Amino acid sequence: MRLVIARCSVDYAGRLTAHLPSAPRLILVKADGSVSIHADDRAYKPLNWMSPPCTLKEGTGEEEGVWTVVNKAGEKLIITMEEVLHDSSHELGVDPGLIKDGVEAHLQELLADRIETLGEGYTLIRREYMTAIGPVDILCRDADGGTVAVEIKRRGEIDGVEQLTRYLELLNRDPHLAPVRGVFAAQEIKPQARVLATDRGIGCQVLDYNAMRGIEDDKLRLF
């Protein structure tokens, strides 16, 4: 990960345009290719960002100090550096992933056991399907044999959609799995997360935890 603190201005050109006037900001360049710009008063949310896959070009000569980030859709994030206050890179390695709380872990277990909740004809491939950036909660196949990656949250927010998007980017590089579509499953899905998921072709599934627990006992158990 590269951390740059600089006085800069930022321009976004894509489906709409946006401009951030000159100010000191933190720029994060992650190993997955994403670039995000942060202020000191927005908690974890960036002012602007570009999700992977994208390319970063640092200008030279007359363009020195101008960073141009371009994604696969041709959208651009142009960062004009006026003064660099800090620039460092750090190797973080592979993250072990988020350890889910009891409810999320149980939701995953229940959904894997009742995979038909997602639709008639669904079959489970496996839980915790490992990728280079962490495990996908559930990997399964739909009635047509297509591969489906499912990300499970107790409360579905934009961060969860971004996480699933990164998994899908990787999974779709595997010719044995591709094409892989995504399903974002949660007890509650925030409107903003649903809009982002829909825009990216990701399905949404609301899970009724109590109902899923209530039907658990209709299977024969040996213990």
Side-chain angles (χ1 to χ4, degrees):
M1 179 182 291
R2 184 178 177 186
L3 309 176
V4 178
I5 299 175
R7 178 174 290 278
C8 62
S9 59
V10 183
D11 291 279
Y12 169 80
R15 286 172 290 182
L16 48 81
T17 58
H19 174 72
L20 294 172
S22 175
R25 297 187 176 94
L26 168 65
I27 304 166
L28 297 182
V29 183
K30 294 186 179 181
D32 64 3
S34 64
V35 179
S36 56
I37 296 97
H38 299 259
D40 208 16
D41 61 349
R42 291 282 298 269
Y44 65 91
K45 292 185 178 180
L47 296 166
N48 214 326
W49 68 93
M50 194 70 81
S51 299
C54 56
T55 58
L56 167 61
K57 179 181 178 182
E58 298 184 42
T60 58
E62 293 184 358
E63 295 294 319
E64 186 174 2
V66 178
W67 290 14
T68 303
V69 187
V70 183
N71 67 11
K72 63 181 181 181
E75 298 168 316
K76 293 182 179 181
L77 197 63
I78 301 170
I79 308 169
T80 304
M81 306 287 192
E82 298 172 14
E83 180 184 8
V84 177
L85 306 173
H86 175 86
D87 189 345
S88 64
S89 296
H90 308 270
E91 182 60 52
L92 301 185
V94 177
D95 191 88
L98 180 68
I99 298 175
K100 295 181 178 293
D101 64 23
V103 172
E104 287 188 10
H106 199 204
L107 276 171
Q108 183 192 114
E109 180 182 346
L110 288 171
L111 186 57
D113 195 41
R114 305 284 179 170
I115 199 67
E116 65 274 7
T117 301
L118 296 175
E120 186 177 349
Y122 274 68
T123 56
L124 178 69
I125 296 176
R126 67 165 296 166
R127 291 171 53 194
E128 300 287 335
Y129 186 90
M130 187 56 65
T131 74
I133 58 173
V136 178
D137 288 335
I138 288 177
L139 197 68
C140 58
R141 295 196 185 279
D142 61 21
D144 298 322
T147 312
V148 182
V150 185
E151 179 63 27
I152 299 171
K153 299 293 183 186
R154 182 167 58 177
R155 182 165 59 185
E157 301 190 71
I158 284 178
D159 284 356
V161 179
E162 294 285 6
Q163 183 180 358
L164 180 54
T165 300
R166 293 192 293 271
Y167 288 146
L168 290 171
E169 290 282 355
L170 285 176
L171 292 169
N172 273 298
R173 297 176 191 173
D174 186 339
H176 299 293
L177 298 175
V180 185
R181 64 182 180 88
V183 172
F184 189 49
Q187 288 179 274
E188 173 193 2
I189 299 177
K190 295 293 185 180
Q192 300 93 330
R194 187 179 290 275
V195 169
L196 181 60
T198 301
D199 182 66
R200 295 183 177 179
I202 294 172
C204 292
Q205 178 81 35
V206 176
L207 302 176
D208 188 331
Y209 180 52
N210 291 328
M212 292 173 74
R213 285 193 303 173
I215 63 175
E216 190 177 15
D217 291 335
D218 71 355
K219 279 197 168 185
L220 294 176
R221 305 288 182 182
L222 299 178
F223 51 89

